[in-house]
Amino acid sequence: MKRTGNYNVQHTTKKRPVEVHALEKQHLTPVSSLLSFESNLVNSITRTVHKDNIIRYKSNRYSVPLGTYRPRGDNTVYIETQGEELIIRADLQGEILAKHSICHGKGELIKNRQHTRDRSKGIQAYKETIVRQFKDQDKALKFVNEVALQYPRYVRDQFQVIQYAITHFRLQIDEALAVCIKEQLWSANDLRDIAQHLTRLKEEKDVEAPASIEAKGNSPATTVTAVTRDIEYYTKIMRGVS
């Protein structure tokens, strides 16, 4: 800046930065010595994951798990230091991808051998286990594949939610799957919520039926039934349609 920019006329303001700064610095106040730029921004430092699944930090390279780099998509990760440890996260406060001891040399590759293992094999087996539990396995495969595309970094968490829905709402899970595919709701949470809703509707109908029979046989009182909405009402809400 001293060699070039400070003395050139800025095209927008038509002024020289060195002259403007001479006026502005009279109004500047010093930053408290208790504040530290690095300590305040350390949690927001980002790095880009390279094709070989490494990041660069202070002249060294650190590994992340195989498959972290994606040819299409965001390859940004967040790093922070805690003492002598470097922590790499997928999101600012999210999943920890890797932890390494900080290297104080230069040009070193700090690599965790576990990061070279193909974790997708475990995911593939998990996917196959989930698909087998649906009656229409072609639809189930389409759904889990779409979920994996939508949430590539959280695919295992998504599969866990799907398995939860299968286990707890087994009688309605196939109907819920059909609704998700029809409405293009590619989320494990949507599948779980729809299955739960269908289960609740079924339970309410089972309770209403004997109650209405008893009312007709033993009491002249009018039977009042709570209003229930069609499943499409809720799927429209999930898609943001009022």
Side-chain angles (χ1 to χ4, degrees):
M1 290 297 290
K2 287 183 178 180
R3 292 196 306 270
T4 308
N6 274 347
Y7 300 98
N8 289 342
V9 176
Q10 210 272 343
H11 292 292
T12 302
T13 64
K14 306 302 180 184
K15 297 178 181 179
R16 291 182 174 84
V18 66
E19 297 170 354
V20 175
H21 179 64
L23 297 173
E24 291 180 345
K25 69 180 182 181
Q26 303 174 40
H27 307 284
L28 300 178
T29 56
V31 176
S32 169
S33 60
L34 296 177
L35 296 178
S36 164
F37 178 80
E38 185 168 347
S39 65
N40 279 284
L41 296 185
V42 67
N43 287 332
S44 63
I45 294 176
T46 61
R47 289 293 185 273
T48 299
V49 179
H50 297 271
K51 290 183 179 180
D52 50 357
N53 291 288
I54 60 98
I55 67 159
R56 301 181 185 277
Y57 176 70
K58 290 190 175 181
S59 302
N60 292 306
R61 296 172 296 155
Y62 295 83
S63 68
V64 292
L66 184 67
T68 301
Y69 172 81
R70 293 181 293 160
R72 291 189 294 258
D74 184 14
N75 286 296
T76 300
V77 293
Y78 294 79
I79 65 173
E80 62 178 288
T81 57
Q82 294 183 3
E84 290 295 307
E85 190 172 51
L86 178 68
I87 298 175
I88 307 170
R89 296 179 184 271
D91 294 295
L92 191 57
Q93 299 295 333
E95 173 192 5
I96 295 178
L97 295 174
K99 291 183 179 181
H100 292 284
S101 296
I102 295 175
C103 177
H104 296 287
K106 290 186 177 181
E108 299 292 336
L109 171 61
I110 297 85
K111 191 172 185 178
N112 185 332
R113 291 184 180 179
Q114 296 292 328
H115 292 169
T116 60
R117 293 184 178 180
D118 188 353
R119 297 191 302 169
S120 64
K121 293 181 179 178
I123 292 295
Q124 181 62 30
Y126 202 172
K127 179 195 296 186
E128 293 172 358
T129 299
I130 287 174
V131 169
R132 285 197 297 268
Q133 298 177 74
F134 288 89
K135 292 179 180 178
D136 192 331
Q137 295 188 10
D138 290 337
K139 285 185 177 180
L141 182 60
K142 178 180 180 180
F143 180 76
V144 296
N145 284 337
E146 289 291 341
V147 167
L149 288 175
Q150 292 290 328
Y151 305 95
R153 288 186 175 177
Y154 307 102
V155 63
R156 188 177 295 276
D157 294 335
Q158 287 285 308
F159 286 178
Q160 287 175 350
V161 174
I162 295 174
Q163 184 58 59
Y164 173 90
I166 294 172
T167 303
H168 289 81
F169 312 112
R170 186 171 297 276
L171 295 178
Q172 273 67 46
I173 196 64
D174 290 289
E175 185 179 353
L177 174 65
V179 172
C180 284
I181 291 179
K182 178 184 177 182
E183 303 297 337
Q184 296 187 358
L185 299 171
W186 311 119
S187 166
N189 292 334
D190 289 337
L191 178 71
R192 178 200 60 202
D193 293 345
I194 292 172
Q196 185 177 30
H197 174 70
L198 292 172
T199 300
R200 187 181 300 116
L201 289 180
K202 180 67 167 56
E203 291 173 349
E204 289 175 357
K205 289 179 180 179
D206 290 343
V207 170
E208 289 169 8
S212 61
I213 293 173
E214 182 179 350
K216 288 179 181 179
N218 301 321
S219 172
T222 302
T223 301
V224 179
T225 304
V227 176
T228 57
R229 295 185 173 94
D230 188 83
I231 189 65
E232 291 187 3
Y233 174 84
Y234 296 96
T235 55
K236 287 180 179 179
I237 293 176
M238 291 178 182
R239 298 197 311 273
V241 178
S242 57

